[in-house]
Amino acid sequence: MSKNETPRDPNEVLEEYEETLDSVLAEVESPDETTEDDDISLGLPGLSLGRRDFMKAGVAAGAMGSVAGCSALTGGGDGSAGSQSTPSGSGASHTVEPGEHDEYYGFWSGGHSGELRVIGIPSMRELTRIPVFNTDCASGYGFTDDTRELLEESGGYSWGDNHHPNLSETDGDYDGEYLYVNDKANGRIARVNLTYFETDAITDVPNMQAIHGCCVLSPDTKYVLGNGEFRVPLPNDGTDAKNPDNYTSLFVAVDPESMETQWQVKVDGNLDIVDTGKEGRWAISSAYNSEEATDIQGMTKDDRDNVKAFDIPAIEQAVENGNYEEVNGIPVVDGTQESSLNQGDRPIVKYIPTPKSPHCVEVGPNGDYAFVAGKLSPTVTMIDLNALADSSDPEDVVAGRPRVGLGPLHTTFDGNGHAYTSLFIDSQAVKWDIEAAVEAEEGSEDPIIEKQDVHYNPGHIQALEAMTTDPDGEWLVSLNKLSKDRFLPVGPIMPDNDQLIHIGQGEEEMELVADHPAYPEPHDCVFAHKDKIDAKKVYDKDDYEETYITEEDSGVERTGDNSVHVKMTTKRSEFGLPDFTVQEGDEVKLSTTNIEGVQDIIHGVAIPEHDINYAVAPQDTREVTFTADDPGVYWIYCTYFCSALHLEMRSRMIVEPAEG
Ligand code: CUA
């Protein structure tokens, strides 16, 4: 607004907006007034998007931008065929009685909080948080020497954007060993050890700026795979910075054990989300911006984009044959459409046209189909993975394309022949029949079984163990981006709303059972039956590198003119040293072992005015190194309420002034 303009009364603006909205909604509510002529062709056989739907899409998008809090706009329930929002009254309960355990672990990505959250299903109780790309003062992650080094050596960033958690698999089932998750912001992949629920490795993948999609290669976690979303020059060192034609998007394979980057594949367009078939051959990536533009108008200009099907053994063969260029030490194979590696009988990457800018791809439990949600198209494109190897015409591999509703983003499965797709714009979960979609004509709504309203604007949707070959059904979580009016107002930054929906074995109607506020901003989650995770309750000292400190070891050792090593135990309710003395300017390495053998007796080590606090779990040893810069007395205290004498649990650090 220019300085000379008189600002308008915001209420007046809002009133005007609402009037416009009312008239638009009236039109939406009266589909009779629209005619065939109003339909807008998407240029696809059997597909057109009704004017009514287009209007609704526009209204919803506009509402999200301008009037958050107006729930009626995106609450779904447009009265279209198949809409179903009445609870079925099946009496499904998500209550877990006091003292009882949940049946499933849910692992939630924490988005730009950088952490993971562990949530019990069906209670939706938050059990713990696992810091990954962030620092965490409750656990001391990022404070102790090992965790600080982990963050420093993986780029030194203080945050990450944690999107897609994936559990390690053996024979297509979760083996409970590890969880892998990507950092979209800085192109990293992290590993969480599920014995201790701790991040134990982070790989800063070379040549890639943003890793968005991330999955493990089924059935035996041969690789952790990542999709480079942002196109950048290769290498991104200033060369070609102003020449977007030479930017590129990469697909990467990381070794799940060493966490070293193995190889990368260069492709056309921007890669989005990735999932693999169940046999270890295909990785399917959704992709957008086949135009390779740098702005939104350009990115959405064409009607089609290309899903990429990566033939993993063919890529491995190309690497073995030396058909790559090495960039920053990584073999980069050319998988662009023009590449010679894509011209012969066995291309390393197949390009499969879909409606433009699709979002997610998930492979169904039996591995027959990859489901590519249309986002801008109201359809899900089903790719027949069994036909992929032999087809020469990419169009032949499309097995079905049901029309599911507006803004389809993600699909999940109950293992009994049903797919459940989240509809961002309609604010609904739509349940549909997979085989019926294969039988039906493209663009048909016939496969739809029912729709459940969610609140509001869902992204990922996940049913129990839906990514394995044998999903468990029963519960589904819709990760809704907006909660608007669902919770007490807590200021302008509202929580997300993760909704628990009962789906049974697919025979019953969906039933919304619980709202669960989530701190910004989970993207995805994954569930494992509790029997598949074997978390240790006490540390095994063979599992870490630090030296276990006994009560006899407690003491101060001068290791140099300006360095000391302080060793001390922690137990109820004392530190191994009631006090210790160091000299001003000393580099102090403090090693602490919690000698308790009992579950849940944790001690904290807090050093005031030194920015240090960390937890030491039973039988664990942690080390922290700092400089004692300021002479004085510092009361080291225990931050965990460990006993009735917790307050008295202290040690005194005396920093003597330097001589002279
Ligand atoms: Cu140890 Cu409080």
Side-chain angles (χ1 to χ4, degrees), residues 28 42 46 277 306 315 382 503 534 541 629:
V28 169
L42 288 184
N306 294 306
I315 295 165
M382 297 166 63
I503 57 170
D534 188 15
K541 54 179 179 286
D629 272 332

Side-chain angles (χ1 to χ4, degrees), residues 567-587:
K567 300 175 191 173
M568 66 180 184
T569 52
T570 68
K571 69 170 185 189
R572 280 162 292 175
S573 298
E574 58 189 23
F575 289 104
L577 296 170
D579 55 63
F580 61 89
T581 301
V582 300
Q583 302 301 312
E584 178 186 354
D586 273 347
E587 187 187 78

Side-chain angles (χ1 to χ4, degrees), residues 449-655:
I449 298 166
E450 60 165 324
K451 291 184 176 182
Q452 166 71 50
D453 291 348
V454 297
H455 313 85
Y456 305 92
N457 306 95
H460 276 274
I461 186 171
Q462 242 348 310
L464 294 179
E465 301 210 341
M467 306 306 279
T468 69
T469 49
D470 189 18
D472 287 359
E474 287 308 317
W475 296 105
L476 174 153
V477 175
S478 177
L479 283 78
N480 307 314
K481 294 298 176 192
L482 308 189
S483 62
K484 299 183 178 182
D485 53 358
R486 300 294 282 194
F487 304 113
L488 285 174
V490 288
I493 297 187
M494 291 294 288
D496 289 17
N497 186 11
D498 297 340
Q499 288 186 307
L500 183 71
I501 294 170
H502 187 253
I503 57 170
Q505 287 308 309
E507 301 312 308
E508 301 164 47
E509 288 177 358
M510 289 187 275
E511 183 185 358
L512 174 60
V513 172
D515 280 13
H516 174 78
Y519 193 65
E521 178 186 65
H523 277 259
D524 192 8
C525 56
V526 61
F527 306 111
H529 191 269
K530 61 181 164 61
D531 292 346
K532 294 178 183 174
I533 306 283
D534 188 15
K536 281 197 179 170
K537 295 172 176 172
V538 169
Y539 263 89
D540 182 339
K541 54 179 179 286
D542 293 337
D543 288 345
Y544 55 78
E545 286 174 8
E546 290 81 3
T547 308
Y548 189 93
I549 309 292
T550 63
E551 290 196 285
E552 292 72 46
D553 296 332
S554 289
V556 182
E557 184 191 336
R558 180 148 292 276
T559 49
D561 285 347
N562 293 102
S563 59
V564 291
H565 188 183
V566 179
K567 300 175 191 173
M568 66 180 184
T569 52
T570 68
K571 69 170 185 189
R572 280 162 292 175
S573 298
E574 58 189 23
F575 289 104
L577 296 170
D579 55 63
F580 61 89
T581 301
V582 300
Q583 302 301 312
E584 178 186 354
D586 273 347
E587 187 187 78
V588 181
K589 178 169 154 180
L590 174 63
S591 301
T592 40
T593 296
N594 180 345
I595 59 173
E596 309 262 7
V598 185
Q599 177 189 4
D600 203 18
I601 301 297
I602 302 154
H603 298 291
V605 181
I607 312 181
E609 297 166 14
H610 285 73
D611 202 27
I612 290 169
N613 177 42
Y614 58 96
V616 202
Q619 294 295 304
D620 191 13
T621 301
R622 295 284 165 173
E623 292 177 346
V624 65
T625 303
F626 60 95
T627 305
D629 272 332
D630 294 310
V633 172
Y634 300 93
W635 287 102
I636 297 178
Y637 73 101
C638 173
T639 39
Y640 273 75
F641 208 115
C642 54
S643 76
L645 290 171
H646 151 77
L647 260 136
E648 288 82 352
M649 182 171 172
R650 279 193 241 163
S651 178
R652 190 164 49 116
M653 177 170 76
I654 296 165
V655 182

Side-chain angles (χ1 to χ4, degrees), residues 304-480:
R304 315 303 296 264
D305 274 301
N306 294 306
V307 161
K308 276 76 173 170
F310 294 92
D311 187 336
I312 303 289
I315 295 165
E316 290 173 325
Q317 190 61 52
V319 174
E320 203 179 307
N321 295 346
N323 289 327
Y324 59 81
E325 63 172 315
E326 194 174 300
V327 185
N328 288 317
I330 308 300
V332 180
V333 181
D334 187 355
T336 57
Q337 276 165 297
E338 304 298 303
S339 166
S340 60
L341 292 168
N342 278 337
Q343 309 309 322
D345 289 345
R346 190 162 176 186
I348 60 167
V349 185
K350 290 199 167 190
Y351 286 66
I352 304 160
T354 61
K356 71 173 157 192
S357 299
H359 191 53
C360 198
V361 52
E362 284 98 1
V363 172
N366 60 14
D368 286 348
Y369 308 114
F371 297 76
V372 183
K375 191 167 78 179
L376 300 185
S377 153
T379 61
V380 174
T381 298
M382 297 166 63
I383 294 170
D384 184 344
L385 296 187
N386 300 315
L388 211 45
D390 297 326
S391 79
S392 50
D393 180 358
E395 291 282 355
D396 287 350
V397 302
V398 175
R401 191 173 273 148
R403 180 188 166 120
V404 294
L406 294 188
L409 290 191
H410 296 276
T411 302
T412 191
F413 314 96
D414 61 16
N416 294 310
H418 307 114
Y420 302 76
T421 301
S422 59
L423 302 174
F424 183 84
I425 294 171
D426 277 343
S427 281
Q428 288 181 319
V430 52
K431 172 182 171 184
W432 51 283
D433 185 292
I434 295 171
E435 279 314 312
V438 175
E439 301 302 320
E441 284 193 13
E442 287 195 12
S444 169
E445 291 183 350
D446 293 345
I448 293 176
I449 298 166
E450 60 165 324
K451 291 184 176 182
Q452 166 71 50
D453 291 348
V454 297
H455 313 85
Y456 305 92
N457 306 95
H460 276 274
I461 186 171
Q462 242 348 310
L464 294 179
E465 301 210 341
M467 306 306 279
T468 69
T469 49
D470 189 18
D472 287 359
E474 287 308 317
W475 296 105
L476 174 153
V477 175
S478 177
L479 283 78
N480 307 314

Side-chain angles (χ1 to χ4, degrees), residues 118-133:
V118 185
I119 291 171
I121 301 294
S123 73
M124 299 293 277
R125 298 180 296 191
E126 184 176 290
L127 304 176
T128 193
R129 297 182 174 196
I130 307 172
V132 182
F133 301 114

